[in-house]
Amino acid sequence: MGNRGSKQQVDGRRQSVRGRATATAVPKDTKKAYEMLCERLKELSALGGISGLLGWDEMVMMPAGAANSRGAQKSALAGVMYDKKTDPTLGALLETLRAAPAGALDPVAAAVVRDASKDYVKATALPKELAQRIARLETDAYPAWVKAKQASDFSIFAPFLKEWVEVNKEKARLIDPSAPAYDVLLDDFEKGLTSARLDAVFAQAREGLVPLIAAIKSRGAKLDDSWTHGEFDVEAQAALCKKIALDLGFDTEHGRLDVSVHPFTGGAHPTDVRMTTRFKKEDVMEGITGAIHETGHALYEQGRNLEYDGLPVNSALSMGVHESQSLLWERMVGLSKPFAAYLLPLLKERFPATFGSATPQQLYEAENTIREPSLIRVESDEVTYPLHIILRYELERGLMDGSVQVDDIPRLWNEKMQSYLGATPPSDAKGCLQDVHWSAGLFGYFPTYTLGAMYATQIYAAAAKDIPGLEDKIKAGDFAPLKSWLNVKIHKLGSLHASGDELMTAVTGGPLDPSVFLTYLKNKYTELYKL
Amino acid sequence: MGNRGSKQQVDGRRQSVRGRATATAVPKDTKKAYEMLCERLKELSALGGISGLLGWDEMVMMPAGAANSRGAQKSALAGVMYDKKTDPTLGALLETLRAAPAGALDPVAAAVVRDASKDYVKATALPKELAQRIARLETDAYPAWVKAKQASDFSIFAPFLKEWVEVNKEKARLIDPSAPAYDVLLDDFEKGLTSARLDAVFAQAREGLVPLIAAIKSRGAKLDDSWTHGEFDVEAQAALCKKIALDLGFDTEHGRLDVSVHPFTGGAHPTDVRMTTRFKKEDVMEGITGAIHETGHALYEQGRNLEYDGLPVNSALSMGVHESQSLLWERMVGLSKPFAAYLLPLLKERFPATFGSATPQQLYEAENTIREPSLIRVESDEVTYPLHIILRYELERGLMDGSVQVDDIPRLWNEKMQSYLGATPPSDAKGCLQDVHWSAGLFGYFPTYTLGAMYATQIYAAAAKDIPGLEDKIKAGDFAPLKSWLNVKIHKLGSLHASGDELMTAVTGGPLDPSVFLTYLKNKYTELYKL
């Protein structure tokens, strides 16, 4: 309202005074060059925080009629950030720093230069024509996918998927012609991972899971969770989930908890983390599980190291590691026996009609009920979920190296579903058209879900060794020791390490090991299903 | 969480493709130059919208511990906007367009060039040293004012006020050495107004108000509003105020209504207007009045002309005109007899204990009770408020032209209070230290409050002539005709006109005329107080 002017104007000018200084030649002195780099990266981080806030607001607060103006705002901000990310002075600074003598940069600075260099290459790699082609595809492919899914007709979506494959190959080639295209794309989501390594990891997982699932299936559905359904006041659910989030360690001085259609964790900064949940009247357990999952993400964000505020080294290492934090809390803690002992009294107090006479063991069994393998990834349990991911990985990897053709996707999808999960989708809508990811051109995203689940078991096993009496503490609702351990071992390290394997080695003594995940599942479900 | 990358990256690239084009030489062709100008102004408008959202979020949503990171985000965005506001290409475009032959620009384009040129001059006028001095003062003067007010000791604040006077004079001289310093500052808040004109307007107001206030005072406090106080459920108040805001025409498809410590109206765009209210348990009328006031601001914002979206011509003409919209709804409508007839049934329904047996006339009288003239501006009624403003105007104008010295402020303040309102503050805290404005270096801001009140009466008088049976419609809760009239006559015009006087002439047939305001007050209070 009106022009209050001066305050903002001057903030701007101060900024510009600084900006002008950095526009001079890049200093040869390593320390000075590093300082200049950090200044630029912090500015980008602050603008990225604004972008995060816009995203949160759009999902949680924005009035429906503001979509167009919000689009213009996001585009303007993205334009500003693009200009800064591709500024040649930034490139020159990074070049100077990469040429610094060994040992001139401490490990943190070296990690900053490593990750910022990669970002710079990615930001500057694409020529205008390709960028425009991608932009057009982003606009056109989503509605085509929606239409294809509604009609359950893959052929409507196929031409768009073909073009996505083509432009993604071209993009990968421009970023790094020496690496397989899939590896270049994967790096956006899971830093430092290769498809060769992922092949081995997923093959081992698949070989362990397929017989386990068959064994559970042949036992028949012994467990039952139908008694946990009922009618649960949504306000009471929200209050309970808030209590749980606070008990786990979510800090409302540096975050918010709201409700949104799709639960997510976002925000503007480690001191401003915004998680959302969602509640269904008939299913209190789903709301709780979702809240614990998002709390895991939020604790990672709130735990980022403020000593390196605004530098890439303090952000999450990868999407897989982020997911490891949500899944560690959701599955290793939230679906465990000791947690059932903590949770049940809270449920009894609020919802006595349903939970009044239950035992912790009954709650634990209900939470871990495995139904018929679902055809739908997002409805799957922790045993079958990885096979949904492995199937997608095998297909998208094949699309990138040419061993899979787009037109063969429906057939291959159904064959793999039958082979891995013993069920064939009745339609493309419930098969290869179920996920939005490929319509947005996201290849290399899917694996992070299952990598996260594997990291989580391995990290939790290390925590259980380090923290005496961890299960008793969880039973007593004392989550602080585990949270503090994760703060130190995972959160504060940010993306200091070059890959998930490196991080696992630092935290657990060895790289990612799928056998830990498999052993966890086998032990748990052998007991539950008396296999 | 992780790097989803591509979407934002490409938005950025599209932007940059555009950015690169505009970096070329400025075209001589008027139409092309104007298009380029609009593109840049729209980008700045979008970034300004983001800034508006950050401000709203900070007041309404942000967790307390995020203050530092939000500061960094605001500073980064202000830096970006400063660079764009002072971009020499923008200056060259404006120069080209100002040199265009008469008639080459339509009235809207001419207004865009006029206002954008002024903004460019203001943005580029200050040298680095002065900007840094202002920035320091902004940081230092506020805490000094807080301390001075707490100690009720003006001498603690005096050195900072002296420096503000100095830097504001210097700033004004750099922007326009040919105009009086105060006029240059005033233009930031009330476009096109001069102190010479304001002297005449305020002198006329003062001469009419002083005897009116004395007459009311000598009648003694006949009216009574104490019966309207009680205990009112805050949720019920909020629901009532939402109903009233919706009845007045607030559009929740393009806005939000929340609660904040200080009610305000902000947001990111005319399609995303965010108003806030506040409720006190013991005083339902204050909450209602505040909600109506903010709705007036919000209707102006929502009524901005989307045909000129993102251009200066679609924004509010001035702070005074903005205030005219809030005060028109608050006072001319909300404190009127017909509105009391609309409001009373709503109050009876929700708060029967207090309002069950009241008549509309009793409610009207309670709403318009004038107590002892308050020493405090923000607690004053519509009759005494203008004198608080005129006093401040006379002092700040004197500071700027050298006829008033900072050290004389406490004495002059108290003398004027005695002369205008018949009361002398017992302390500086309740006198010249009561307002925050001068500590932020804001000179020229105060007059807009009373200009708004005057515009409001004049605009309402014109509306009452144009809209048949306006009072009956208000009585019936049918506010749409008035809102539509304001949409067309005021909101959609934005800042097309060069001054409030020009707008008043277009809407009411003549420039601002304080006698309309004085006649309104005299008639109203002569009847109420049987003077």
Side-chain angles (χ1 to χ4, degrees), chain A residues 1 13 57 65 126 131 265 274, chain B residues 1 13 57 126 131 253 265:
Chain A
M1 212 160 327
R13 186 170 293 271
D57 185 84
L126 275 60
T265 298
R274 307 197 178 188
Chain B
M1 211 161 325
R13 185 168 294 269
D57 185 84
L126 274 61
E253 184 75 11
T265 298

Side-chain angles (χ1 to χ4, degrees), chain B residues 293 323-333 449 452-453 456:
Chain B
H293 183 96
E323 194 71 5
S324 82
Q325 297 307 293
S326 54
L327 290 177
L328 185 145
W329 287 100
E330 179 193 341
R331 293 183 182 168
M332 311 314 293
V333 177
Y449 293 113

Side-chain angles (χ1 to χ4, degrees), chain A residues 340-391:
Chain A
Y342 152 81
L343 180 60
L344 188 58
L346 303 177
L347 288 167
K348 280 182 195 274
E349 190 186 322
R350 285 159 184 85
F351 309 113
T354 303
F355 297 97
S357 62
T359 66
Q361 179 67 23
Q362 285 170 330
L363 180 61
Y364 171 68
E365 288 178 7
E367 288 173 331
N368 290 286
T369 297
I370 298 198
R371 282 165 238 114
E372 276 297 287
S374 172
L375 297 167
I376 307 299
R377 175 181 62 85
V378 296
E379 294 170 5
S380 300
D381 53 70
E382 63 178 333
V383 186
T384 53
Y385 197 105
L387 290 170
H388 287 275
I389 293 304
I390 291 169
L391 177 159

Side-chain angles (χ1 to χ4, degrees), chain A residues 146-400:
Chain A
V146 170
K147 206 175 149 197
K149 192 178 174 184
Q150 277 165 353
S152 196
D153 179 355
F154 182 75
S155 73
I156 296 171
F157 179 54
F160 297 91
L161 186 55
K162 281 177 193 164
E163 201 178 342
W164 264 130
V165 170
E166 233 175 85
V167 300
N168 267 325
K169 276 186 190 168
E170 177 65 7
K171 177 182 148 187
R173 192 187 60 76
L174 288 164
I175 291 170
D176 183 0
S178 72
Y182 190 81
D183 292 25
V184 177
L185 304 177
L186 184 61
D187 189 78
D188 272 355
F189 308 104
E190 196 61 31
K191 191 173 78 170
L193 186 64
T194 64
S195 49
R197 171 87 175 110
L198 200 46
D199 279 346
V201 166
F202 278 178
Q204 190 180 346
R206 197 184 55 219
E207 279 154 33
L209 287 170
V210 171
L212 177 63
I213 291 164
I216 293 173
K217 204 177 174 185
S218 71
R219 268 301 277 170
K222 206 192 73 65
L223 301 181
D224 174 33
D225 67 350
S226 61
W227 64 273
T228 66
H229 293 88
E231 200 160 307
F232 307 97
D233 177 63
V234 165
E235 294 294 317
Q237 287 191 54
L240 170 60
C241 285
K242 185 170 182 185
K243 183 199 161 29
I244 294 170
L246 296 180
D247 282 357
L248 299 184
F250 183 70
D251 169 12
T252 51
E253 183 76 10
H254 298 104
R256 287 183 59 89
L257 207 169
D258 294 276
V259 169
S260 71
V261 179
H262 297 287
F264 72 99
T265 298
H269 190 262
T271 60
D272 190 1
V273 175
R274 307 197 178 188
M275 60 178 270
T276 70
T277 52
R278 166 182 66 172
F279 305 102
K280 288 186 183 162
K281 216 171 170 51
E282 71 280 9
D283 190 349
V284 65
M285 298 314 296
E286 186 176 326
I288 292 172
T289 306
I292 296 172
H293 183 96
E294 296 308 327
T295 303
H297 282 305
L299 293 180
Y300 192 5
E301 288 296 310
Q302 290 189 331
R304 285 162 57 186
N305 194 341
L306 291 180
E307 197 184 335
Y308 309 122
D309 190 21
L311 300 179
V313 75
N314 104 330
S315 57
L317 190 139
S318 71
M319 292 201 60
V321 174
H322 225 307
E323 195 70 4
S324 81
Q325 296 307 293
S326 55
L327 291 177
L328 185 145
W329 287 101
E330 179 192 340
R331 293 183 182 169
M332 310 313 294
V333 177
L335 298 181
S336 72
K337 276 190 208 175
F339 193 83
Y342 152 81
L343 180 60
L344 188 58
L346 303 177
L347 288 167
K348 280 182 195 274
E349 190 186 322
R350 285 159 184 85
F351 309 113
T354 303
F355 297 97
S357 62
T359 66
Q361 179 67 23
Q362 285 170 330
L363 180 61
Y364 171 68
E365 288 178 7
E367 288 173 331
N368 290 286
T369 297
I370 298 198
R371 282 165 238 114
E372 276 297 287
S374 172
L375 297 167
I376 307 299
R377 175 181 62 85
V378 296
E379 294 170 5
S380 300
D381 53 70
E382 63 178 333
V383 186
T384 53
Y385 197 105
L387 290 170
H388 287 275
I389 293 304
I390 291 169
L391 177 159
R392 285 155 178 77
Y393 164 68
E394 290 168 350
L395 293 179
E396 65 183 19
R397 188 173 179 252
L399 289 171
M400 280 301 131

Side-chain angles (χ1 to χ4, degrees), chain B residues 153-194:
Chain B
D153 180 355
F154 182 76
S155 72
I156 296 171
F157 179 53
F160 297 91
L161 187 53
K162 281 175 193 167
E163 201 177 342
W164 265 130
V165 170
E166 234 175 83
V167 301
N168 267 324
K169 276 186 189 168
E170 177 64 7
K171 178 181 148 187
R173 192 186 61 76
L174 288 163
I175 291 170
D176 183 359
S178 72
Y182 190 81
D183 291 25
V184 177
L185 303 177
L186 184 61
D187 189 79
D188 272 355
F189 308 104
E190 195 60 32
K191 191 173 77 169
L193 187 64
T194 64

Side-chain angles (χ1 to χ4, degrees), chain B residues 102-312:
Chain B
L105 298 173
D106 66 31
V108 168
V112 167
V113 171
R114 176 197 67 207
D115 287 357
S117 294
K118 209 193 263 182
D119 289 345
Y120 184 74
V121 168
K122 286 181 185 176
T124 52
L126 274 61
K128 182 177 149 183
E129 293 69 27
L130 184 60
Q132 287 174 327
R133 210 172 142 199
I134 289 175
R136 243 192 342 268
L137 205 44
E138 279 181 328
T139 309
D140 298 343
Y142 175 76
W145 168 75
V146 170
K147 206 174 149 196
K149 192 177 175 186
Q150 277 164 353
S152 195
D153 180 355
F154 182 76
S155 72
I156 296 171
F157 179 53
F160 297 91
L161 187 53
K162 281 175 193 167
E163 201 177 342
W164 265 130
V165 170
E166 234 175 83
V167 301
N168 267 324
K169 276 186 189 168
E170 177 64 7
K171 178 181 148 187
R173 192 186 61 76
L174 288 163
I175 291 170
D176 183 359
S178 72
Y182 190 81
D183 291 25
V184 177
L185 303 177
L186 184 61
D187 189 79
D188 272 355
F189 308 104
E190 195 60 32
K191 191 173 77 169
L193 187 64
T194 64
S195 51
R197 170 89 175 109
L198 200 47
D199 278 346
V201 167
F202 278 179
Q204 190 180 346
R206 196 183 58 220
E207 278 154 33
L209 287 170
V210 171
L212 178 63
I213 291 164
I216 295 173
K217 203 175 174 186
S218 70
R219 269 302 278 172
K222 206 191 73 66
L223 301 179
D224 174 33
D225 66 350
S226 60
W227 65 272
T228 66
H229 292 89
E231 199 160 307
F232 307 98
D233 177 63
V234 165
E235 294 295 317
Q237 288 192 53
L240 171 59
C241 285
K242 185 171 181 183
K243 184 201 160 28
I244 293 170
L246 296 179
D247 282 357
L248 299 184
F250 183 71
D251 169 12
T252 52
E253 184 75 11
H254 297 105
R256 286 183 58 89
L257 207 170
D258 293 277
V259 169
S260 70
V261 178
H262 298 286
F264 71 100
T265 298
H269 189 262
T271 60
D272 190 0
V273 174
R274 308 200 178 185
M275 60 177 272
T276 70
T277 50
R278 167 183 62 172
F279 304 102
K280 288 185 183 164
K281 215 169 172 52
E282 71 280 9
D283 190 349
V284 65
M285 298 314 295
E286 186 177 323
I288 292 173
T289 306
I292 297 172
H293 183 96
E294 295 309 326
T295 302
H297 282 306
L299 293 180
Y300 192 4
E301 288 296 309
Q302 290 189 332
R304 286 163 56 186
N305 194 341
L306 291 180
E307 197 183 335
Y308 308 123
D309 191 20
L311 301 179

